[in-house]
Amino acid sequence: LLPRTPTVWVNTIGMRRPKLEWYTISRGAEKFVHWFGPQAPQASLPTNLQIVNPLIWPGFGWPWERSLNRRLMARKLRPIIDAMAEPPIAVTTIPTVSDLMGRLPVKRWVYYCVDDFTTWPGLDHRTVERMESHLIDNADCIVVVSETLRERIAKRGRKAELLTHGVDLDYWKAPLESAGLPFDYPRPWLLFWGLIDRRMDMDILIRLSANKNGTIILVGPQDNPDPRLASLPGVVIRPAVPPEELPRLAAAADVLILPYADLPVTRAIQPLKLKEYLATGKPVVARDLPAIREWADCLDIAGDVDSFAAAVSRRITEGIPPAQTAARQRLSNESWQAKADQFYRYITNS
């Protein structure tokens, strides 16, 4: 969107109650730097982009917390909006800004719904549901990333526009050398990247570990994953890497896996990494979830632990079938530019 319209990106906080744990401490340190540390000079940002880090209290469960955060965010954002030539369109992907509706002089409110936060593990579901209900009822436009989310919004009596995620094919297909990777584990490599949390199916990972087919490499931040994960033989958890490193990791992997559990929260997702996985040209094995079925001819979909493990073993031995490679040609219609054009039409009602 940046080439066509100035955009202010507002960094907020998550919806999880702080706990005395490493994840909370590290995230808290990151937000502290955002709030009180040196800000990135505007000249270093892409044209038309401004980043704002309003001070926010880490909680929304009590009325006083919501009131405080409403005042803190409004105090930071109101002068920025007042300085604009015309009222902007406000787009949010999280329910916690719903209290700003009617408090900021914006043209339209857009709820870009990318997950079912009311079923997300570890959140204060009652508070999230209450805030999201207000957001759904009052948004001028709702855009969702999956049919499951669209059906959920429809049950609330609202219409939602469907916009699945895109992919940058050139980014993932660029010639890459696997030499110089930061690790060297026994082959084959079964690779996952993304948030490592309770949405992962431990039964699948336990079975893959028991099969002793090389190394299961999980790359990404951790958010209270199952404690058993750390002790599984053959499973390696690596911290998140810069995005530009992911294509190189994918090029070095033997099979890319999406070992999600079949849960209400995963039935609503449209995994961003799915099309990235497919764009790499590597074999992909994924759990059977609604948003993945559309791409069933491009990868192996497994409905249970046994079929997931069998599919992984088959792809290790046989590689990717030519039919799956041919089916992935339709990724050319899924560019981020095409998605951005459609998104712009939705949010501007044009």
Side-chain angles (χ1 to χ4, degrees):
L1 296 176
L2 290 179
R4 74 174 74 187
T5 181
T7 302
V8 178
W9 178 278
V10 183
N11 276 327
T12 59
I13 61 171
M15 294 173 285
R16 191 181 307 278
R17 274 281 181 186
K19 297 179 181 179
L20 189 58
E21 58 185 8
W22 176 247
Y23 178 77
T24 299
I25 294 172
S26 61
R27 284 288 292 156
E30 178 184 332
K31 297 310 295 185
F32 189 87
V33 171
H34 283 170
W35 293 335
F36 303 111
Q39 302 299 304
Q42 188 63 39
S44 68
L45 298 176
T47 302
N48 276 342
L49 177 63
Q50 179 182 356
I51 296 178
V52 178
N53 294 286
L55 186 66
I56 303 174
W57 173 260
F60 293 89
W62 296 96
W64 70 265
E65 293 178 304
R66 293 177 59 176
S67 176
L68 174 61
N69 281 331
R70 181 174 63 245
R71 293 197 302 271
L72 288 172
M73 288 189 282
R75 185 173 63 184
K76 183 74 172 183
L77 298 178
R78 185 63 187 260
I80 296 173
I81 295 174
D82 289 343
M84 294 179 177
E86 59 179 320
I89 296 170
V91 179
T92 182
T93 60
I94 54 175
T96 50
V97 301
S98 64
D99 289 330
L100 291 175
M101 302 180 87
R103 305 274 178 165
L104 295 178
V106 301
K107 186 185 303 182
R108 306 182 80 210
W109 275 98
V110 177
Y111 182 26
Y112 181 27
C113 182
V114 298
D115 282 299
D116 183 357
F117 294 112
T118 63
T119 59
W120 194 279
L123 300 188
D124 180 355
H125 293 148
R126 187 166 64 175
T127 297
V128 171
E129 186 171 5
R130 186 164 59 244
M131 300 186 80
E132 190 190 45
S133 293
H134 181 73
L135 185 56
I136 292 172
D137 291 342
N138 292 279
D140 299 291
C141 173
I142 302 174
V143 181
V144 297
V145 300
S146 71
E147 283 288 356
T148 302
L149 288 172
R150 180 152 70 171
E151 292 169 5
R152 179 171 167 268
I153 297 296
K155 291 178 181 178
R156 297 291 309 274
R158 295 298 309 272
K159 174 188 175 183
E161 306 288 357
L162 177 64
L163 184 71
T164 59
H165 293 313
V167 66
D168 184 344
L169 290 179
D170 292 336
Y171 185 84
W172 295 98
K173 287 185 175 179
L176 297 161
E177 296 292 336
S178 61
L181 288 170
F183 46 75
D184 183 18
Y185 302 117
R187 291 281 185 172
W189 289 358
L190 312 181
L191 176 65
F192 167 91
W193 67 74
L195 184 63
I196 303 167
D197 61 7
R198 298 280 177 152
R199 295 173 302 162
M200 307 197 79
D201 192 319
M202 280 301 300
D203 291 335
I204 287 177
L205 294 172
I206 289 171
R207 173 62 63 84
L208 294 178
S209 170
N211 285 354
K212 298 183 173 155
N213 280 327
T215 307
I216 304 162
I217 305 173
L218 310 177
V219 178
Q222 298 182 51
D223 185 4
N224 191 33
D226 192 305
R228 295 174 293 170
L229 191 58
S231 60
L232 280 182
V235 174
V236 176
I237 303 176
R238 304 280 306 191
V241 300
E244 57 269 19
E245 287 293 313
L246 289 177
R248 197 158 63 102
L249 290 181
D254 296 281
V255 180
L256 305 179
I257 58 173
L258 279 168
Y260 285 123
D262 185 10
L263 303 168
V265 66
T266 56
R267 290 179 210 129
I269 64 174
Q270 214 269 339
L272 180 63
K273 66 182 68 62
L274 171 62
K275 292 173 186 175
E276 296 175 346
Y277 276 18
L278 299 179
T280 66
K282 290 289 183 173
V284 177
V285 179
R287 184 60 179 264
D288 183 14
L289 296 171
I292 294 176
R293 291 172 195 152
E294 178 187 355
W295 298 90
D297 55 344
C298 301
L299 71 162
D300 289 83
I301 295 181
D304 55 47
V305 173
D306 291 337
S307 56
F308 197 104
V312 168
S313 296
R314 188 165 57 249
R315 290 298 150 241
I316 289 173
T317 303
E318 302 174 7
I320 182 171
Q324 289 186 6
T325 299
R328 295 182 188 187
Q329 295 302 311
R330 72 175 188 272
L331 284 170
S332 59
N333 299 321
E334 302 291 320
S335 72
W336 277 117
Q337 187 56 60
K339 301 294 182 179
D341 292 342
Q342 186 63 61
F343 186 68
Y344 187 78
R345 289 193 291 271
Y346 285 153
I347 68 174
T348 59
N349 197 27
S350 59

